[in-house]
Amino acid sequence: KNTIMKNETGKYLKYAIGEITLVVIGILIALQINNWNENIKKDTLKASYITSLIDDYTKDTIQLNNSIKGNNIMFKNLDSISQLFYSEKSNLEDFRILFKNFNRLIRVTNTYNTNSFKVLISSGNIDLFDKELVEALMELNRVQNAEIEVSGRNSDIYLGLMTSMANEFPIFSSNTGSKSTKLLKWKSANLNKLPVNMTNIIRFKQYVISRYLELTGNVLIKTEYALELLNTRLKDD
């Protein structure tokens, strides 16, 4: 005020510009600090997601490798059993014994650790990751769902066929019905149908397992690739 009254406007303008400059600099510094803090929060959150995903996918690789190993063994066993179909010495009693001792169980269902991925998607924080990693995670989720759908459908069909066959040819290891009742049912069963039914069951079981191995092998490849990217990002950050 005194400066203006003394008609020293130029001096006043310099003072005003200086004040404004200081305020602007202060605001810019505050914004920079705020951005810095936000980036730290994002980096911390990103690292947390990466660590959780690595943990989930590492568990998946262990499960998948064990399941693939077990199903490969089962497939080879079925291949050995199927040789009976082509033996000239095989008879109806051989097929009856085969069915009695046949391992009806089938394990072609994977349970994936998807909690971290689901949280990542539902929260919208997938944007924290770069394009390459996002595409790898989305592709992995796609092949997981495809495997679950196909293997589940094939398993249901197999179990349906096995149930129908068990109604016609009693299973001794079943908990339903006494052993004497099952022996009577075996006497009245049409054993001539057993070779064809057994052949169909074993061949379809082989198909279900081979399809499972194909799909699960693909999931394993995608999982290992996602793990490779995640571990790289964790080191870089």
Side-chain angles (χ1 to χ4, degrees), residues 133-154:
L133 182 54
V134 170
E135 289 178 350
L137 295 179
M138 297 303 290
E139 175 64 10
L140 174 56
N141 182 63
R142 185 190 70 78
V143 296
Q144 285 177 340
N145 290 332
E147 185 278 314
I148 290 172
E149 180 183 355
V150 175
S151 295
R153 183 172 62 247
N154 288 339

mmCIF file with all atom_site columns, all heavy atoms in Angstrom, residues 133-154:
data_model
loop_
_atom_site.group_PDB
_atom_site.id
_atom_site.type_symbol
_atom_site.label_atom_id
_atom_site.label_alt_id
_atom_site.label_comp_id
_atom_site.label_asym_id
_atom_site.label_entity_id
_atom_site.label_seq_id
_atom_site.pdbx_PDB_ins_code
_atom_site.Cartn_x
_atom_site.Cartn_y
_atom_site.Cartn_z
_atom_site.occupancy
_atom_site.B_iso_or_equiv
_atom_site.pdbx_formal_charge
_atom_site.auth_seq_id
_atom_site.auth_comp_id
_atom_site.auth_asym_id
_atom_site.auth_atom_id
_atom_site.pdbx_PDB_model_num
ATOM 1   N N   . LEU A 1 133 ? 2.470   -58.244 -19.363 1.00 0.00 ? 133 LEU A N   1
ATOM 2   C CA  . LEU A 1 133 ? 2.088   -59.035 -18.198 1.00 0.00 ? 133 LEU A CA  1
ATOM 3   C C   . LEU A 1 133 ? 0.579   -59.208 -18.128 1.00 0.00 ? 133 LEU A C   1
ATOM 4   O O   . LEU A 1 133 ? 0.089   -60.305 -17.810 1.00 0.00 ? 133 LEU A O   1
ATOM 5   C CB  . LEU A 1 133 ? 2.606   -58.372 -16.919 1.00 0.00 ? 133 LEU A CB  1
ATOM 6   C CG  . LEU A 1 133 ? 2.326   -59.106 -15.607 1.00 0.00 ? 133 LEU A CG  1
ATOM 7   C CD1 . LEU A 1 133 ? 2.823   -60.543 -15.661 1.00 0.00 ? 133 LEU A CD1 1
ATOM 8   C CD2 . LEU A 1 133 ? 2.975   -58.365 -14.432 1.00 0.00 ? 133 LEU A CD2 1
ATOM 9   N N   . VAL A 1 134 ? -0.160  -58.150 -18.420 1.00 0.00 ? 134 VAL A N   1
ATOM 10  C CA  . VAL A 1 134 ? -1.634  -58.230 -18.413 1.00 0.00 ? 134 VAL A CA  1
ATOM 11  C C   . VAL A 1 134 ? -2.113  -59.290 -19.405 1.00 0.00 ? 134 VAL A C   1
ATOM 12  O O   . VAL A 1 134 ? -2.972  -60.123 -19.085 1.00 0.00 ? 134 VAL A O   1
ATOM 13  C CB  . VAL A 1 134 ? -2.257  -56.865 -18.752 1.00 0.00 ? 134 VAL A CB  1
ATOM 14  C CG1 . VAL A 1 134 ? -3.767  -57.012 -18.981 1.00 0.00 ? 134 VAL A CG1 1
ATOM 15  C CG2 . VAL A 1 134 ? -2.002  -55.864 -17.636 1.00 0.00 ? 134 VAL A CG2 1
ATOM 16  N N   . GLU A 1 135 ? -1.554  -59.263 -20.607 1.00 0.00 ? 135 GLU A N   1
ATOM 17  C CA  . GLU A 1 135 ? -1.959  -60.235 -21.634 1.00 0.00 ? 135 GLU A CA  1
ATOM 18  C C   . GLU A 1 135 ? -1.626  -61.659 -21.201 1.00 0.00 ? 135 GLU A C   1
ATOM 19  O O   . GLU A 1 135 ? -2.412  -62.586 -21.441 1.00 0.00 ? 135 GLU A O   1
ATOM 20  C CB  . GLU A 1 135 ? -1.261  -59.906 -22.959 1.00 0.00 ? 135 GLU A CB  1
ATOM 21  C CG  . GLU A 1 135 ? -1.791  -58.641 -23.620 1.00 0.00 ? 135 GLU A CG  1
ATOM 22  C CD  . GLU A 1 135 ? -1.056  -58.313 -24.913 1.00 0.00 ? 135 GLU A CD  1
ATOM 23  O OE1 . GLU A 1 135 ? -0.011  -58.954 -25.191 1.00 0.00 ? 135 GLU A OE1 1
ATOM 24  O OE2 . GLU A 1 135 ? -1.520  -57.407 -25.649 1.00 0.00 ? 135 GLU A OE2 1
ATOM 25  N N   . ALA A 1 136 ? -0.486  -61.847 -20.545 1.00 0.00 ? 136 ALA A N   1
ATOM 26  C CA  . ALA A 1 136 ? -0.100  -63.183 -20.076 1.00 0.00 ? 136 ALA A CA  1
ATOM 27  C C   . ALA A 1 136 ? -1.050  -63.692 -18.999 1.00 0.00 ? 136 ALA A C   1
ATOM 28  O O   . ALA A 1 136 ? -1.451  -64.865 -19.004 1.00 0.00 ? 136 ALA A O   1
ATOM 29  C CB  . ALA A 1 136 ? 1.331   -63.151 -19.540 1.00 0.00 ? 136 ALA A CB  1
ATOM 30  N N   . LEU A 1 137 ? -1.435  -62.815 -18.087 1.00 0.00 ? 137 LEU A N   1
ATOM 31  C CA  . LEU A 1 137 ? -2.346  -63.208 -17.005 1.00 0.00 ? 137 LEU A CA  1
ATOM 32  C C   . LEU A 1 137 ? -3.749  -63.518 -17.539 1.00 0.00 ? 137 LEU A C   1
ATOM 33  O O   . LEU A 1 137 ? -4.386  -64.485 -17.105 1.00 0.00 ? 137 LEU A O   1
ATOM 34  C CB  . LEU A 1 137 ? -2.433  -62.096 -15.954 1.00 0.00 ? 137 LEU A CB  1
ATOM 35  C CG  . LEU A 1 137 ? -1.151  -61.777 -15.181 1.00 0.00 ? 137 LEU A CG  1
ATOM 36  C CD1 . LEU A 1 137 ? -1.384  -60.645 -14.197 1.00 0.00 ? 137 LEU A CD1 1
ATOM 37  C CD2 . LEU A 1 137 ? -0.634  -63.010 -14.452 1.00 0.00 ? 137 LEU A CD2 1
ATOM 38  N N   . MET A 1 138 ? -4.207  -62.700 -18.477 1.00 0.00 ? 138 MET A N   1
ATOM 39  C CA  . MET A 1 138 ? -5.542  -62.927 -19.054 1.00 0.00 ? 138 MET A CA  1
ATOM 40  C C   . MET A 1 138 ? -5.577  -64.211 -19.878 1.00 0.00 ? 138 MET A C   1
ATOM 41  O O   . MET A 1 138 ? -6.564  -64.955 -19.851 1.00 0.00 ? 138 MET A O   1
ATOM 42  C CB  . MET A 1 138 ? -5.937  -61.729 -19.924 1.00 0.00 ? 138 MET A CB  1
ATOM 43  C CG  . MET A 1 138 ? -6.056  -60.416 -19.162 1.00 0.00 ? 138 MET A CG  1
ATOM 44  S SD  . MET A 1 138 ? -7.213  -60.450 -17.783 1.00 0.00 ? 138 MET A SD  1
ATOM 45  C CE  . MET A 1 138 ? -8.775  -60.560 -18.654 1.00 0.00 ? 138 MET A CE  1
ATOM 46  N N   . GLU A 1 139 ? -4.508  -64.482 -20.593 1.00 0.00 ? 139 GLU A N   1
ATOM 47  C CA  . GLU A 1 139 ? -4.426  -65.713 -21.391 1.00 0.00 ? 139 GLU A CA  1
ATOM 48  C C   . GLU A 1 139 ? -4.377  -66.934 -20.481 1.00 0.00 ? 139 GLU A C   1
ATOM 49  O O   . GLU A 1 139 ? -5.019  -67.962 -20.770 1.00 0.00 ? 139 GLU A O   1
ATOM 50  C CB  . GLU A 1 139 ? -3.199  -65.667 -22.291 1.00 0.00 ? 139 GLU A CB  1
ATOM 51  C CG  . GLU A 1 139 ? -2.933  -66.943 -23.085 1.00 0.00 ? 139 GLU A CG  1
ATOM 52  C CD  . GLU A 1 139 ? -4.015  -67.294 -24.085 1.00 0.00 ? 139 GLU A CD  1
ATOM 53  O OE1 . GLU A 1 139 ? -4.917  -66.463 -24.323 1.00 0.00 ? 139 GLU A OE1 1
ATOM 54  O OE2 . GLU A 1 139 ? -3.968  -68.404 -24.637 1.00 0.00 ? 139 GLU A OE2 1
ATOM 55  N N   . LEU A 1 140 ? -3.644  -66.832 -19.402 1.00 0.00 ? 140 LEU A N   1
ATOM 56  C CA  . LEU A 1 140 ? -3.583  -67.935 -18.441 1.00 0.00 ? 140 LEU A CA  1
ATOM 57  C C   . LEU A 1 140 ? -4.971  -68.219 -17.866 1.00 0.00 ? 140 LEU A C   1
ATOM 58  O O   . LEU A 1 140 ? -5.380  -69.382 -17.764 1.00 0.00 ? 140 LEU A O   1
ATOM 59  C CB  . LEU A 1 140 ? -2.603  -67.598 -17.315 1.00 0.00 ? 140 LEU A CB  1
ATOM 60  C CG  . LEU A 1 140 ? -2.541  -68.599 -16.152 1.00 0.00 ? 140 LEU A CG  1
ATOM 61  C CD1 . LEU A 1 140 ? -2.230  -70.010 -16.647 1.00 0.00 ? 140 LEU A CD1 1
ATOM 62  C CD2 . LEU A 1 140 ? -1.520  -68.153 -15.118 1.00 0.00 ? 140 LEU A CD2 1
ATOM 63  N N   . ASN A 1 141 ? -5.687  -67.168 -17.502 1.00 0.00 ? 141 ASN A N   1
ATOM 64  C CA  . ASN A 1 141 ? -7.042  -67.347 -16.970 1.00 0.00 ? 141 ASN A CA  1
ATOM 65  C C   . ASN A 1 141 ? -7.962  -68.002 -18.006 1.00 0.00 ? 141 ASN A C   1
ATOM 66  O O   . ASN A 1 141 ? -8.795  -68.851 -17.668 1.00 0.00 ? 141 ASN A O   1
ATOM 67  C CB  . ASN A 1 141 ? -7.608  -65.986 -16.558 1.00 0.00 ? 141 ASN A CB  1
ATOM 68  C CG  . ASN A 1 141 ? -8.987  -66.084 -15.945 1.00 0.00 ? 141 ASN A CG  1
ATOM 69  O OD1 . ASN A 1 141 ? -9.185  -66.686 -14.895 1.00 0.00 ? 141 ASN A OD1 1
ATOM 70  N ND2 . ASN A 1 141 ? -9.963  -65.504 -16.613 1.00 0.00 ? 141 ASN A ND2 1
ATOM 71  N N   . ARG A 1 142 ? -7.770  -67.643 -19.272 1.00 0.00 ? 142 ARG A N   1
ATOM 72  C CA  . ARG A 1 142 ? -8.601  -68.215 -20.340 1.00 0.00 ? 142 ARG A CA  1
ATOM 73  C C   . ARG A 1 142 ? -8.354  -69.714 -20.492 1.00 0.00 ? 142 ARG A C   1
ATOM 74  O O   . ARG A 1 142 ? -9.316  -70.501 -20.560 1.00 0.00 ? 142 ARG A O   1
ATOM 75  C CB  . ARG A 1 142 ? -8.303  -67.513 -21.671 1.00 0.00 ? 142 ARG A CB  1
ATOM 76  C CG  . ARG A 1 142 ? -9.214  -67.960 -22.813 1.00 0.00 ? 142 ARG A CG  1
ATOM 77  C CD  . ARG A 1 142 ? -8.730  -67.432 -24.147 1.00 0.00 ? 142 ARG A CD  1
ATOM 78  N NE  . ARG A 1 142 ? -7.485  -68.076 -24.561 1.00 0.00 ? 142 ARG A NE  1
ATOM 79  C CZ  . ARG A 1 142 ? -7.415  -69.288 -25.093 1.00 0.00 ? 142 ARG A CZ  1
ATOM 80  N NH1 . ARG A 1 142 ? -8.506  -70.025 -25.290 1.00 0.00 ? 142 ARG A NH1 1
ATOM 81  N NH2 . ARG A 1 142 ? -6.239  -69.797 -25.456 1.00 0.00 ? 142 ARG A NH2 1
ATOM 82  N N   . VAL A 1 143 ? -7.089  -70.121 -20.522 1.00 0.00 ? 143 VAL A N   1
ATOM 83  C CA  . VAL A 1 143 ? -6.799  -71.550 -20.720 1.00 0.00 ? 143 VAL A CA  1
ATOM 84  C C   . VAL A 1 143 ? -7.168  -72.367 -19.479 1.00 0.00 ? 143 VAL A C   1
ATOM 85  O O   . VAL A 1 143 ? -7.527  -73.544 -19.577 1.00 0.00 ? 143 VAL A O   1
ATOM 86  C CB  . VAL A 1 143 ? -5.322  -71.782 -21.112 1.00 0.00 ? 143 VAL A CB  1
ATOM 87  C CG1 . VAL A 1 143 ? -5.020  -71.142 -22.458 1.00 0.00 ? 143 VAL A CG1 1
ATOM 88  C CG2 . VAL A 1 143 ? -4.361  -71.280 -20.047 1.00 0.00 ? 143 VAL A CG2 1
ATOM 89  N N   . GLN A 1 144 ? -7.093  -71.743 -18.302 1.00 0.00 ? 144 GLN A N   1
ATOM 90  C CA  . GLN A 1 144 ? -7.542  -72.424 -17.082 1.00 0.00 ? 144 GLN A CA  1
ATOM 91  C C   . GLN A 1 144 ? -9.037  -72.741 -17.168 1.00 0.00 ? 144 GLN A C   1
ATOM 92  O O   . GLN A 1 144 ? -9.466  -73.871 -16.887 1.00 0.00 ? 144 GLN A O   1
ATOM 93  C CB  . GLN A 1 144 ? -7.279  -71.556 -15.844 1.00 0.00 ? 144 GLN A CB  1
ATOM 94  C CG  . GLN A 1 144 ? -5.832  -71.489 -15.403 1.00 0.00 ? 144 GLN A CG  1
ATOM 95  C CD  . GLN A 1 144 ? -5.635  -70.551 -14.228 1.00 0.00 ? 144 GLN A CD  1
ATOM 96  O OE1 . GLN A 1 144 ? -6.477  -69.680 -13.962 1.00 0.00 ? 144 GLN A OE1 1
ATOM 97  N NE2 . GLN A 1 144 ? -4.532  -70.696 -13.523 1.00 0.00 ? 144 GLN A NE2 1
ATOM 98  N N   . ASN A 1 145 ? -9.823  -71.746 -17.550 1.00 0.00 ? 145 ASN A N   1
ATOM 99  C CA  . ASN A 1 145 ? -11.272 -71.933 -17.652 1.00 0.00 ? 145 ASN A CA  1
ATOM 100 C C   . ASN A 1 145 ? -11.629 -72.949 -18.733 1.00 0.00 ? 145 ASN A C   1
ATOM 101 O O   . ASN A 1 145 ? -12.560 -73.747 -18.561 1.00 0.00 ? 145 ASN A O   1
ATOM 102 C CB  . ASN A 1 145 ? -11.960 -70.595 -17.941 1.00 0.00 ? 145 ASN A CB  1
ATOM 103 C CG  . ASN A 1 145 ? -11.917 -69.651 -16.758 1.00 0.00 ? 145 ASN A CG  1
ATOM 104 O OD1 . ASN A 1 145 ? -11.864 -70.088 -15.602 1.00 0.00 ? 145 ASN A OD1 1
ATOM 105 N ND2 . ASN A 1 145 ? -11.917 -68.355 -17.021 1.00 0.00 ? 145 ASN A ND2 1
ATOM 106 N N   . ALA A 1 146 ? -10.881 -72.922 -19.840 1.00 0.00 ? 146 ALA A N   1
ATOM 107 C CA  . ALA A 1 146 ? -11.133 -73.882 -20.926 1.00 0.00 ? 146 ALA A CA  1
ATOM 108 C C   . ALA A 1 146 ? -10.851 -75.304 -20.459 1.00 0.00 ? 146 ALA A C   1
ATOM 109 O O   . ALA A 1 146 ? -11.621 -76.228 -20.741 1.00 0.00 ? 146 ALA A O   1
ATOM 110 C CB  . ALA A 1 146 ? -10.269 -73.536 -22.138 1.00 0.00 ? 146 ALA A CB  1
ATOM 111 N N   . GLU A 1 147 ? -9.764  -75.478 -19.736 1.00 0.00 ? 147 GLU A N   1
ATOM 112 C CA  . GLU A 1 147 ? -9.415  -76.811 -19.220 1.00 0.00 ? 147 GLU A CA  1
ATOM 113 C C   . GLU A 1 147 ? -10.470 -77.319 -18.250 1.00 0.00 ? 147 GLU A C   1
ATOM 114 O O   . GLU A 1 147 ? -10.885 -78.482 -18.310 1.00 0.00 ? 147 GLU A O   1
ATOM 115 C CB  . GLU A 1 147 ? -8.051  -76.752 -18.531 1.00 0.00 ? 147 GLU A CB  1
ATOM 116 C CG  . GLU A 1 147 ? -7.530  -78.097 -18.048 1.00 0.00 ? 147 GLU A CG  1
ATOM 117 C CD  . GLU A 1 147 ? -8.123  -78.502 -16.710 1.00 0.00 ? 147 GLU A CD  1
ATOM 118 O OE1 . GLU A 1 147 ? -8.178  -77.652 -15.790 1.00 0.00 ? 147 GLU A OE1 1
ATOM 119 O OE2 . GLU A 1 147 ? -8.562  -79.665 -16.588 1.00 0.00 ? 147 GLU A OE2 1
ATOM 120 N N   . ILE A 1 148 ? -10.919 -76.454 -17.347 1.00 0.00 ? 148 ILE A N   1
ATOM 121 C CA  . ILE A 1 148 ? -11.933 -76.839 -16.357 1.00 0.00 ? 148 ILE A CA  1
ATOM 122 C C   . ILE A 1 148 ? -13.225 -77.262 -17.052 1.00 0.00 ? 148 ILE A C   1
ATOM 123 O O   . ILE A 1 148 ? -13.843 -78.274 -16.690 1.00 0.00 ? 148 ILE A O   1
ATOM 124 C CB  . ILE A 1 148 ? -12.209 -75.667 -15.385 1.00 0.00 ? 148 ILE A CB  1
ATOM 125 C CG1 . ILE A 1 148 ? -10.997 -75.445 -14.480 1.00 0.00 ? 148 ILE A CG1 1
ATOM 126 C CG2 . ILE A 1 148 ? -13.450 -75.949 -14.546 1.00 0.00 ? 148 ILE A CG2 1
ATOM 127 C CD1 . ILE A 1 148 ? -11.098 -74.198 -13.629 1.00 0.00 ? 148 ILE A CD1 1
ATOM 128 N N   . GLU A 1 149 ? -13.632 -76.494 -18.053 1.00 0.00 ? 149 GLU A N   1
ATOM 129 C CA  . GLU A 1 149 ? -14.881 -76.790 -18.758 1.00 0.00 ? 149 GLU A CA  1
ATOM 130 C C   . GLU A 1 149 ? -14.807 -78.122 -19.510 1.00 0.00 ? 149 GLU A C   1
ATOM 131 O O   . GLU A 1 149 ? -15.688 -78.980 -19.372 1.00 0.00 ? 149 GLU A O   1
ATOM 132 C CB  . GLU A 1 149 ? -15.201 -75.664 -19.737 1.00 0.00 ? 149 GLU A CB  1
ATOM 133 C CG  . GLU A 1 149 ? -16.493 -75.889 -20.512 1.00 0.00 ? 149 GLU A CG  1
ATOM 134 C CD  . GLU A 1 149 ? -16.776 -74.802 -21.525 1.00 0.00 ? 149 GLU A CD  1
ATOM 135 O OE1 . GLU A 1 149 ? -16.013 -73.812 -21.566 1.00 0.00 ? 149 GLU A OE1 1
ATOM 136 O OE2 . GLU A 1 149 ? -17.747 -74.937 -22.286 1.00 0.00 ? 149 GLU A OE2 1
ATOM 137 N N   . VAL A 1 150 ? -13.749 -78.304 -20.302 1.00 0.00 ? 150 VAL A N   1
ATOM 138 C CA  . VAL A 1 150 ? -13.631 -79.512 -21.122 1.00 0.00 ? 150 VAL A CA  1
ATOM 139 C C   . VAL A 1 150 ? -13.414 -80.750 -20.257 1.00 0.00 ? 150 VAL A C   1
ATOM 140 O O   . VAL A 1 150 ? -14.085 -81.776 -20.430 1.00 0.00 ? 150 VAL A O   1
ATOM 141 C CB  . VAL A 1 150 ? -12.483 -79.367 -22.142 1.00 0.00 ? 150 VAL A CB  1
ATOM 142 C CG1 . VAL A 1 150 ? -12.280 -80.674 -22.906 1.00 0.00 ? 150 VAL A CG1 1
ATOM 143 C CG2 . VAL A 1 150 ? -12.777 -78.234 -23.114 1.00 0.00 ? 150 VAL A CG2 1
ATOM 144 N N   . SER A 1 151 ? -12.481 -80.669 -19.306 1.00 0.00 ? 151 SER A N   1
ATOM 145 C CA  . SER A 1 151 ? -12.192 -81.825 -18.452 1.00 0.00 ? 151 SER A CA  1
ATOM 146 C C   . SER A 1 151 ? -13.390 -82.194 -17.591 1.00 0.00 ? 151 SER A C   1
ATOM 147 O O   . SER A 1 151 ? -13.677 -83.381 -17.384 1.00 0.00 ? 151 SER A O   1
ATOM 148 C CB  . SER A 1 151 ? -10.979 -81.533 -17.555 1.00 0.00 ? 151 SER A CB  1
ATOM 149 O OG  . SER A 1 151 ? -9.806  -81.361 -18.320 1.00 0.00 ? 151 SER A OG  1
ATOM 150 N N   . GLY A 1 152 ? -14.097 -81.187 -17.101 1.00 0.00 ? 152 GLY A N   1
ATOM 151 C CA  . GLY A 1 152 ? -15.283 -81.457 -16.291 1.00 0.00 ? 152 GLY A CA  1
ATOM 152 C C   . GLY A 1 152 ? -16.373 -82.144 -17.085 1.00 0.00 ? 152 GLY A C   1
ATOM 153 O O   . GLY A 1 152 ? -17.002 -83.094 -16.609 1.00 0.00 ? 152 GLY A O   1
ATOM 154 N N   . ARG A 1 153 ? -16.588 -81.679 -18.317 1.00 0.00 ? 153 ARG A N   1
ATOM 155 C CA  . ARG A 1 153 ? -17.609 -82.292 -19.179 1.00 0.00 ? 153 ARG A CA  1
ATOM 156 C C   . ARG A 1 153 ? -17.233 -83.732 -19.525 1.00 0.00 ? 153 ARG A C   1
ATOM 157 O O   . ARG A 1 153 ? -18.079 -84.637 -19.445 1.00 0.00 ? 153 ARG A O   1
ATOM 158 C CB  . ARG A 1 153 ? -17.776 -81.458 -20.452 1.00 0.00 ? 153 ARG A CB  1
ATOM 159 C CG  . ARG A 1 153 ? -18.878 -81.975 -21.377 1.00 0.00 ? 153 ARG A CG  1
ATOM 160 C CD  . ARG A 1 153 ? -19.141 -81.013 -22.513 1.00 0.00 ? 153 ARG A CD  1
ATOM 161 N NE  . ARG A 1 153 ? -17.991 -80.823 -23.366 1.00 0.00 ? 153 ARG A NE  1
ATOM 162 C CZ  . ARG A 1 153 ? -17.317 -79.676 -23.472 1.00 0.00 ? 153 ARG A CZ  1
ATOM 163 N NH1 . ARG A 1 153 ? -17.669 -78.627 -22.760 1.00 0.00 ? 153 ARG A NH1 1
ATOM 164 N NH2 . ARG A 1 153 ? -16.273 -79.576 -24.276 1.00 0.00 ? 153 ARG A NH2 1
ATOM 165 N N   . ASN A 1 154 ? -15.982 -83.966 -19.893 1.00 0.00 ? 154 ASN A N   1
ATOM 166 C CA  . ASN A 1 154 ? -15.539 -85.323 -20.230 1.00 0.00 ? 154 ASN A CA  1
ATOM 167 C C   . ASN A 1 154 ? -15.623 -86.264 -19.025 1.00 0.00 ? 154 ASN A C   1
ATOM 168 O O   . ASN A 1 154 ? -16.004 -87.428 -19.156 1.00 0.00 ? 154 ASN A O   1
ATOM 169 C CB  . ASN A 1 154 ? -14.109 -85.293 -20.759 1.00 0.00 ? 154 ASN A CB  1
ATOM 170 C CG  . ASN A 1 154 ? -14.016 -84.694 -22.149 1.00 0.00 ? 154 ASN A CG  1
ATOM 171 O OD1 . ASN A 1 154 ? -15.004 -84.647 -22.880 1.00 0.00 ? 154 ASN A OD1 1
ATOM 172 N ND2 . ASN A 1 154 ? -12.843 -84.229 -22.523 1.00 0.00 ? 154 ASN A ND2 1
#
